[in-house]
Amino acid sequence: MIRLIKPDASFESEFLDMISEWKDSGEEFIPWSLNLDTTDFNAMIDKLNGYSNGIGLKDGFVECSTYWLINENNKILGAIDIRHRLNEKLLYRGGHIGYGIRPSERKKGYATQMLYLALNICKTIGISKVLITCDKNNIGSSKVIINNGGILDSEGTENGEVFQRYWINLI
C-alpha cells in the first residue's frame, strides 16, 4: 500500500535518510524540490507549501505542488512535483511533472504507481493534458510515462542531450 502525501515535518528523519541515500549514489536529485536546503526542515516544508500557492516563487517558476510517495511503513520511496501550468520554458522542456524514486527502491514499479497517483491530482487541479519530458537515454522513465498513457510527441536537444516530450490526455 503506497500513497502520496504533502511534505510534512513529521517525516524529517525519513526524508533526510532518502536524501543521504541519493547523495551517496552520486546521482542528480530529481525532482528539483529535493535540492532545497534541509538545514531548517520546517522552513523547507513551509517553502514547498508556499510554492503550491504561488508564494515565494523565483523568476521563471510556476505554482508547483510537491508530494512524497510513502509505503505502509511510512518510508519515503520518492518524490514528485506537479507544476500547475506551463510557461514557455516548461512547454519546451520540463513539462508538468518531475519525479524520482530513491536509488534503493527503483525497478519495483513505484514510479509507475506514483505517476498514476499524481495524474489523478492533476485532474483535481484542472489539468486535462499533461506534458512530461525525460532524457532519451532514460528508458525506465519513458516506460513509466508510456505505462501511464504517454504518447511521444517530439524530441529536442538541450545542452547536447536529447530529450523526449510525452503528452498524457486525462479526459
Side-chain angles (χ1 to χ4, degrees):
M1 184 67 194
I2 61 170
R3 61 191 170 103
L4 290 176
I5 63 166
K6 294 288 278 173
D8 185 312
S10 68
F11 285 83
E12 179 176 5
S13 175
E14 266 303 316
F15 184 83
L16 295 176
D17 183 60
M18 177 179 69
I19 293 300
S20 176
E21 179 182 322
W22 225 300
K23 280 181 184 173
D24 290 346
S25 76
E27 296 179 14
E28 180 182 1
F29 289 107
I30 297 174
W32 71 268
S33 60
L34 298 181
N35 291 285
L36 293 176
D37 182 7
T38 59
T39 305
D40 182 342
F41 199 77
N42 288 326
M44 183 196 79
I45 298 295
D46 289 344
K47 189 176 282 194
L48 288 171
N49 289 329
Y51 291 162
S52 67
N53 294 310
I55 300 167
L57 296 173
K58 297 177 185 175
D59 283 344
F61 282 66
V62 300
E63 300 84 356
C64 178
S65 296
T66 297
Y67 294 88
W68 297 338
L69 183 71
I70 63 170
N71 67 11
E72 64 278 358
N73 299 318
N74 289 330
K75 179 178 184 178
I76 299 178
L77 306 172
I80 193 161
D81 293 339
I82 302 171
R83 296 171 199 96
H84 300 194
R85 61 185 173 85
L86 299 177
N87 58 23
E88 190 175 322
K89 181 181 178 190
L90 292 170
L91 184 58
Y92 179 66
R93 174 129 194 226
H96 287 99
I97 295 179
Y99 59 87
I101 298 292
R102 69 190 298 166
S104 66
E105 298 296 337
R106 293 184 186 149
K107 299 187 180 188
K108 298 178 182 179
Y110 292 133
T112 299
Q113 294 175 54
M114 181 168 61
L115 180 55
Y116 174 80
L117 294 170
L119 292 172
N120 287 323
I121 293 169
C122 288
K123 289 178 191 176
T124 67
I125 294 172
I127 304 169
S128 59
K129 191 173 180 184
V130 175
L131 175 65
I132 307 175
T133 68
C134 70
D135 291 341
K136 185 174 183 172
N137 63 2
N138 190 341
I139 305 301
S141 190
S142 63
K143 285 182 180 180
V144 166
I145 298 165
I146 292 167
N147 286 341
N148 276 283
I151 304 295
L152 181 63
D153 175 72
S154 61
E155 293 184 348
T157 304
E158 188 174 73
N159 300 324
E161 298 290 324
V162 178
F163 65 92
Q164 297 178 317
R165 301 172 71 251
Y166 292 87
W167 287 97
I168 300 175
N169 284 314
L170 299 180
I171 299 174

